[in-house]
Amino acid sequence: MKVLVTDPIDDAGLERLREAGHEVETAYDVTGDALLDAVADANALVVRSGTEVTDAVFEAASDLVIVGRAGIGVDNIDIDAATDHGVIVANAPEGNVRAAAEHTVAMAFASARSIPQAHARLKTGEWAKGDYLGTELNAKTLGIVGLGRVGQEVAKRLDGIGMDLVAYDPYIGEERAERLGAELVEFEACLERADFLTVHTPLTPETEDLISTEELELMGGGYLVNCARGGVVDEDALAAAVEDGTLDGAAIDVFADEPVSPDNPLLDVDDVVVTPHLGASTEAAQENVATSIADQIDAAFNGEPVMNALNAPSVDKSAFPRIRPYIDLAETAGKVAAQLLDGRISNVEVSYEGDIAEEDIELVTASALKGVFEPLEWQVNAVNAPRIAEERGIEVTESKTRQAEDFQSLVTVTVGNDDESLSVCGTLFAGEDPRIVRIDGYRVDAIPHGQMLVARNYDKPGVIGFIGTVLGENDVNIAGMFNARRSADGGEALTVYNLDDPIPEEVSEKLLADERITDVKYLTLNGSSE
């Protein structure tokens, strides 16, 4: 596979991709049409914050499987566009968490003790000892906006030096916050109580300029530290607040526009400490994020779970071997069901019985949806299948039960509309041997592979022989078959044929011309050369 890297990452990540057998091409600082040309034949794209991955990029890269962000923030990647194109977006949130937390703590101390300012003056020969009276962090209140991974690491470190912690985060439970030693409060209360405020939120439309003039006034003194994302704090408002004494100081590592403009007002305020986005700039962090992204790209190429996928179902690596065979089984069951149903599909139900119901099956359900939509000629995979269902107003339900009557595990995909529905059930025999065991209530034993012919007929003598004769006359070999009927005394029957060869349209027409045969469906499944 070809991996295009458009922002510099640690060599350890590049080497890991090469060792896995992939072609790695670096093209740093490409933009516009040059980027579109470079990505045209790429299977994976690796970026940091310098590359804007827009809808145009996905349009140009028809073979793209995954975009890997060597870091945490993904606001430079159009995730909705990626999902629409069936491309996985993954980041490396763990690799630089420690580095970002340590830099945040360092910036808090630097601001509180005016370390950079005193350093700069001493370098010029000034002994300005009397000009700086610092603030101790001990016994002060730390306000944390965003108690995610980095926020939690900052909390642990500053709680250890005796700070009182208050936090605002609508997505974390009180119990978890309490274990970190933090009191959960509302946003305004967090600002009002903080002597030091640190920000750890992503940049979204909701968080852009989250902290501006009014919010800074609520702080009424103290220090603000932002090592998260530029744009969350209004830079003009912050510069003014420090300059006029509303705040005692600030420390900023990230900016709305980077590299930062010489005209940025924060650069002109003496009590604002600034660094050029150094939060993740440690040797360990850079190696960790690079190798993490390399591993996730290789997993995506191998059809394995992508651990930090942001727009695709994921699963714990230890659990993946248990559900892996059910992924293909569910996809095939969905494909069979969609091809057998006459009419449009307005609802899909995926149900799990037995041992499989104990597992995390989000990825299995997504694969079932992929199978349902694939015969309809939509460009679909497990990434965008749930989105396709939502966009088309198709209701998707999922159910589990630990009880299973006939099998250790059973996966059933049911497709339907207002007028009818049809179910296909699959299971695994010994040795992970996949089988379709029920179709529309008929008990069968079909190998879901290659070409299949599903015929419905009245249970009368000679029908199976007639079908076999017609197939033989057209040089179509039957690899296996299974016949089932609803009741012991005849009536309607269903027969599944595994075929070695595709059947021409005229063969289906000839079969349907017999009044004993009510329906014929020719299916192409995994392993078919068609």
Side-chain angles (χ1 to χ4, degrees), residues 33 84 108 226 233 271 347 358:
D33 291 340
D84 289 340
N226 183 15
V233 178
D271 288 327
N347 54 77
E358 298 293 309

Side-chain angles (χ1 to χ4, degrees), residues 71-72 91-99 149 153 285 288-289 292 308:
I72 297 179
N91 65 351
E94 303 293 345
N96 56 16
V97 166
R98 185 179 295 108
R149 292 183 179 93
E153 291 299 317
N288 289 341
V289 297
S292 173
N308 294 310

Side-chain angles (χ1 to χ4, degrees), residues 10 59 66 81 257 274 303-304 317 324-325 374 381 415 446 450 454 456 492 511:
D10 192 88
E59 287 285 349
I66 181 171
D257 295 308
V274 291
E304 297 173 354
K317 195 169 186 177
R324 183 168 193 166
E374 199 170 70
N381 57 23
V415 297
V454 180
R456 294 176 185 264
E492 294 182 352
L511 293 174

Side-chain angles (χ1 to χ4, degrees), residues 147-194:
L147 203 55
R149 292 183 179 93
V150 178
Q152 291 182 25
E153 291 299 317
V154 171
K156 293 174 186 176
R157 285 157 174 77
L158 293 181
D159 180 53
I161 67 167
M163 296 195 80
D164 297 322
L165 309 182
V166 295
Y168 168 73
D169 191 324
Y171 303 105
I172 195 168
E174 289 187 11
E175 183 178 344
R176 175 60 178 164
E178 288 173 1
R179 286 203 299 269
L180 293 164
E183 177 189 354
L184 278 184
V185 296
E186 293 301 317
F187 180 56
E188 290 78 7
C190 185
L191 301 179
E192 289 172 346
R193 292 174 59 179

Side-chain angles (χ1 to χ4, degrees), residues 312-314 323 352 359-367 398:
S314 187
I323 71 164
Y352 302 88
E359 303 292 344
D360 179 356
I361 42 74
E362 183 183 9
L363 182 57
V364 183
T365 298
S367 298
E398 184 183 275

